[in-house]
Every structure is written in C-alpha cells, then in structure tokens.
Amino acid sequence: WGSGQTPLSPCQFLRRQQVLQLYRKILRAIREVPAEQDRRYLQDWAREEFKRNKHATEEDAIRMMITQGNMQLQELQRTLKLAKS
C-alpha cells in the first residue's frame, strides 16, 4: 500500500475488509488446533491461499472465494468442537 496506488472504491474497500476479517478469523481458529505440526501446516496453507489470490480483481470470483473461505472456517470450527467433546 505504497504511494502511487489508486484509491479503492467503497465496494472494493468493503470487500477488502471482508477478506481481512475472514483471514483473521481463520488464523484465530487455527490457534485452537492442539497439535503444533497441524497448526503450522494450516497456518502455512491459509497464508499461501490468501497470498495466491491477493491480486484477484473479478468481483464474482472474490465473492466466491470469501464464501469458500467461510465454509472452510466453519468446517474447521466444527472439527475443533468435535475434538474437544
């Protein structure tokens, strides 16, 4: 986010906030994973996925990725809940 970049439209700004919020939620959920090796693997995976899609600009594709990310987050949270019970 250096100088020379065009400002985000309100829609892009909101989408970016959604993506960052999802990323933080995923990392927070991963912290609950008991095994350190699994935790590290999931952190690397999440970081790579977000980095790989960093330059996506197609609105529909971004919306779809956010939806998929939320589904994966819910799956992780369900798995962690089951592991604790």
Side-chain angles (χ1 to χ4, degrees), residues 1-51:
W1 277 70
S3 59
Q5 287 188 321
T6 56
L8 298 176
S9 72
C11 186
Q12 288 171 317
F13 177 81
L14 289 174
R15 192 70 65 221
R16 182 174 189 275
Q17 294 307 106
Q18 280 184 302
V19 171
L20 291 173
Q21 185 179 41
L22 175 61
Y23 184 61
R24 285 192 290 266
K25 282 181 182 176
I26 289 171
L27 290 182
R28 245 180 252 125
I30 289 171
R31 277 191 226 138
E32 304 294 314
V33 173
E36 187 183 337
Q37 192 175 0
D38 294 341
R39 206 169 39 243
R40 202 171 296 138
Y41 169 79
L42 288 170
Q43 285 168 339
D44 290 344
W45 168 81
R47 196 173 296 118
E48 284 306 310
E49 279 297 301
F50 278 83
K51 214 181 271 183

Side-chain angles (χ1 to χ4, degrees), residues 43-82:
Q43 285 168 339
D44 290 344
W45 168 81
R47 196 173 296 118
E48 284 306 310
E49 279 297 301
F50 278 83
K51 214 181 271 183
R52 193 164 55 85
N53 295 302
K54 182 180 180 177
H55 299 291
T57 54
E58 179 60 43
E59 191 62 33
D60 289 340
I62 294 169
R63 249 198 312 272
M64 189 185 72
M65 287 186 270
I66 290 171
T67 301
Q68 284 178 329
N70 276 312
M71 290 185 333
Q72 289 170 323
L73 172 61
Q74 288 171 351
E75 185 60 37
L76 175 61
Q77 289 168 332
R78 257 197 308 275
T79 304
L80 288 168
K81 207 174 201 175
L82 285 174

